[in-house]
Structure formats: structure tokens, C-alpha cells
């Protein structure tokens, strides 16, 4: 039996929808060029992808197989080798950690169940805001290649210091947290995940991609509900699905 729960928060006077779930309920799914909010499953949008051809630019692996095209690699901007924060569920699905990698195989972890790429939030490291953005190479003109640095996270390409819809995944040692933010900076997403007790966390694709489908329990019966802060219903190709046997 696996359990999940939807919780709505206010963070910086803005809406955050979160799902708190057992680790065994989490599965990465390919959903094609469709929106999470239109899926029969519950969960949030997954990793980054190319808007032109739909191929992934972030890691999305389930059971050792790419969930969608190029799902074994974190690809960077402007042809520059990029290492992104990646969450691994390993040891047969009993443990979670993160690493900063280019390729899914850049790890000594055993029996990996799934892996998803994004940008590191480093909730276990003490950072000032400026130091955090420096750590993820998050400072620069998002539309320019000038700021791209080899083997960094090159996070400046998604404007981490401005407010926009965001999606994140974290692990508090016993539960997975999935969160979709109405509008937030990466640093404040990090703070929210710290406040949930997460010791590892990454940010997933955001902006118009950020969306969630969850269950609201009324009179003991779960009913589907959605949150799409940009109201775009963007097709996102992958999702972090919550396939819990029970919602509370």
C-alpha cells in the first residue's frame, strides 16, 4: 500500500500546491505531447525538453530505460557540456540522492529504479542567495550563450532569479514532495523545500510547463483536481506520476 496527500500552501503570499507521497508511489511516465492536467494519472510535469522536436534535454529514466528520446542525458545550451542536478531513486527503490551529472551513468549507485534531471536546489548546503545562484551558474542573460560555462549547470538559461511558475521534487528522508508554484524564484523554491524538511531537492521544468494533477478527498472519495498556474495546458512529454493506492 502506498499513500499520497495533496496540501495547498501560501509561500511569500503566493499559492503552492504540493503532493506528499510514499516513495513507492513515484513512477516516471512518457505522456507524449500532452498536458499533465489532461492525464488520467496524478503527478507533475517532468524534465526539460526541446520545444521544436519534443526530444528531452534532461534525464528521465525508469527501470534503466529512457522514458523518452534522449532521456539518458542532461543537455546544455549553446553546445556547451552541462551537468545538471539529477535525483536518483536507487537500492531497489528504497533510497534517494542527487548528483550533478551529464550522463545518467555517471554514478556508482546500484539498482537504480528511476532518475530525473533538473537543476540543483542544494537544500543541505548553507547558501546566501548570491552564492546559490553562483553555484548553479544562474546569473546572466537567458537569451545569450555568453554566460554558458562548460561542466556547470548553466541555470541562467531559465532566469532563476525572476518570479515565474516553477516545479520541484524533494525527499525528506521518508516522503517525496512534489510542488508547483504559482510564481517564484529558484532561491525561494529552495527555501520552501527546506521548510518541508527536504535534504535533497531539484527543480524540474517550469514556466508554462509547470502543472499538477492531484486528488482531493471528499467524504472518503478521491476526486481529481488540477493546478496549471500559466493556464497553458502545455504538452510536456514526461511526468513524475504519483500512482498511490490511497489518497488521504
Amino acid at each position: 500500500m502506498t499513500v499520497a496527500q495533496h496540501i495547498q500552501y501560501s509561500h511569500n503570499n503566493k499559492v503552492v500546491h504540493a503532493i506528499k507521497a510514499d516513495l513507492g508511489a513515484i513512477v516516471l511516465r512518457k505522456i507524449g505531447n500532452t498536458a499533465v492536467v489532461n492525464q488520467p494519472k496524478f503527478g507533475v510535469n517532468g524534465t526539460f525538453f526541446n520545444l521544436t522536436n519534443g526530444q528531452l534535454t534532461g534525464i528521465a529514466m525508469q527501470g534503466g530505460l529512457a522514458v523518452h528520446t534522449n532521456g539518458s542525458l542532461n543537455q546544455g545550451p549553446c553546445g556547451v557540456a552541462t551537468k545538471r542536478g539529477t535525483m536518483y531513486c536507487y537500492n531497489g527503490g528504497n533510497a534517494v540522492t542527487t548528483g550533478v551529472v551529464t550522463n545518467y551513468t555517471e554514478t556508482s549507485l546500484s539498482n537504480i529504479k528511476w532518475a530525473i534531471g533538473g537543476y540543483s536546489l542544494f537544500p543541505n548546503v548553507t547558501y546566501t542567495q548570491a552564492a546559490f545562484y553562483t553555484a548553479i551558474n544562474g546569473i546572466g542573460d537567458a537569451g545569450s550563450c555568453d554566460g554558458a560555462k562548460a561542466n556547470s549547470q548553466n541555470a541562467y538559461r531559465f532566469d532563476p532569479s525572476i518570479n515565474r511558475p516553477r516545479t520541484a521534487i524533494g525527499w525528506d528522508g521518508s516522503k517525496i514532495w512534489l510542488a508547483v508554484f504559482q510564481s517564484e524564484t529558484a532561491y525561494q523554491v529552495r527555501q520552501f523545500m527546506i521548510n518541508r524538511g527536504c535534504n535533497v531537492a531539484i527543480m524540474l521544468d517550469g514556466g508554462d510547463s509547470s502543472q499538477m494533477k492531484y486528488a482531493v478527498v471528499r467524504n472518503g472519495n478521491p476526486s481529481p483536481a488540477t493546478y496549471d498556474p500559466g493556464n497553458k495546458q502545455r504538452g510536456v512529454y514526461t511526468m513524475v506520476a504519483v500512482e498511490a493506492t490511497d489518497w488521504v
Side-chain angles (χ1 to χ4, degrees):
M1 177 179 174
T2 53
V3 177
Q5 179 184 15
H6 167 261
I7 311 169
Q8 183 173 328
Y9 293 92
S10 177
H11 183 69
N12 292 332
N13 296 314
K14 290 172 284 189
V15 173
V16 184
H17 283 265
I19 296 173
K20 181 182 179 182
D22 289 336
L23 181 56
I26 304 301
V27 183
L28 303 190
R29 296 294 188 192
K30 176 179 179 177
I31 61 173
N33 187 18
T34 58
V36 168
V37 294
N38 294 326
Q39 290 297 306
K41 297 182 181 297
F42 300 114
V44 301
N45 61 287
T47 193
F48 301 88
F49 60 93
N50 187 308
L51 287 171
T52 301
N53 59 25
Q55 295 183 1
L56 300 185
T57 56
I59 287 172
M61 300 286 292
Q62 179 72 41
L65 300 174
V67 174
H68 185 53
T69 308
N70 290 338
S72 64
L73 297 170
N74 285 319
Q75 300 181 55
C78 312
V80 174
T82 296
K83 292 181 177 291
R84 284 182 173 164
T86 301
M87 181 174 284
Y88 289 89
C89 176
Y90 68 104
N91 193 23
N94 295 307
V96 175
T97 191
T98 55
V100 181
V101 303
T102 298
N103 194 301
Y104 163 76
T105 59
E106 286 179 52
T107 176
S108 60
L109 300 174
S110 63
N111 202 2
I112 298 171
K113 183 178 179 183
W114 53 260
I116 185 83
Y119 288 101
S120 297
L121 291 173
F122 296 125
N124 59 330
V125 180
T126 301
Y127 277 129
T128 63
Q129 180 171 287
F132 168 67
Y133 287 134
T134 297
I136 62 172
N137 190 22
I139 302 169
D141 178 0
S144 171
C145 289
D146 292 343
K149 299 177 182 177
N151 297 317
S152 80
Q153 297 201 41
N154 290 317
Y156 78 94
R157 294 285 286 186
F158 71 96
D159 284 324
S161 62
I162 70 169
N163 287 292
R164 63 184 300 192
R166 308 282 184 184
T167 303
I169 180 172
W171 169 248
D172 69 4
S174 64
K175 301 287 185 181
I176 285 286
W177 287 85
L178 302 170
V180 171
F181 298 76
Q182 176 186 9
S183 181
E184 201 51 87
T185 66
Y187 188 75
Q188 284 301 323
V189 170
R190 162 187 151 89
Q191 188 58 53
F192 178 88
M193 302 307 275
I194 290 172
N195 292 348
R196 306 284 78 76
C198 294
N199 55 0
V200 292
I202 63 170
M203 199 153 58
L204 301 174
D205 196 7
D208 290 344
S209 295
S210 286
Q211 51 194 289
M212 174 185 287
K213 187 169 184 180
Y214 58 93
V216 175
V217 179
R218 297 185 178 93
N219 299 320
N221 298 313
S223 300
T226 61
Y227 183 55
D228 182 356
N231 197 29
K232 299 294 185 180
Q233 296 188 32
R234 174 185 274 179
V236 293
Y237 298 94
T238 64
M239 71 179 290
V240 182
V242 180
E243 300 183 4
T245 55
D246 192 24
W247 284 77
V248 298

